[in-house]
Amino acid sequence: MPFESTSSLKFALVATEAPEAQESVAAFRSRYEPVPIAEADVLVAIGGDGTMLEALHVALPLGIPVYRMNQGSLGFLL
């Protein structure tokens, strides 16, 4: 996908319940308005490796890219 202004991209969120991740979710929502995953151009995964795997599992059939914000304890995959 070519670069586009973030104002035209629609974001969806997948996040863990960890307090650090939920703080990031709140910050994200204060700046952007998330949409349902089926309507998104990009899926943002906030959490650890398990959250990333969950996001990839959801995004792959939809053909949307996943951006990860590491808020997990290990970060082994990325």
Side-chain angles (χ1 to χ4, degrees):
M1 175 185 329
F3 177 77
E4 299 178 32
S5 167
T6 56
S7 63
S8 66
L9 291 176
K10 295 178 282 181
F11 297 93
L13 293 174
V14 173
T16 185
E17 294 297 322
E20 299 86 4
Q22 290 304 307
E23 288 175 21
S24 295
V25 168
F28 188 93
R29 288 177 188 237
S30 73
R31 185 165 204 173
Y32 305 103
E33 186 175 331
V35 298
I37 294 172
E39 298 173 20
D41 298 313
V42 176
L43 179 56
V44 179
I46 303 174
D49 289 346
T51 306
M52 182 62 175
L53 290 171
E54 176 186 347
L56 290 170
H57 180 76
V58 169
L60 185 62
L62 300 173
I64 59 175
V66 177
Y67 177 81
R68 178 181 181 198
M69 294 176 59
N70 186 14
Q71 295 290 326
S73 58
L74 292 177
F76 179 75
L77 291 176
L78 295 176

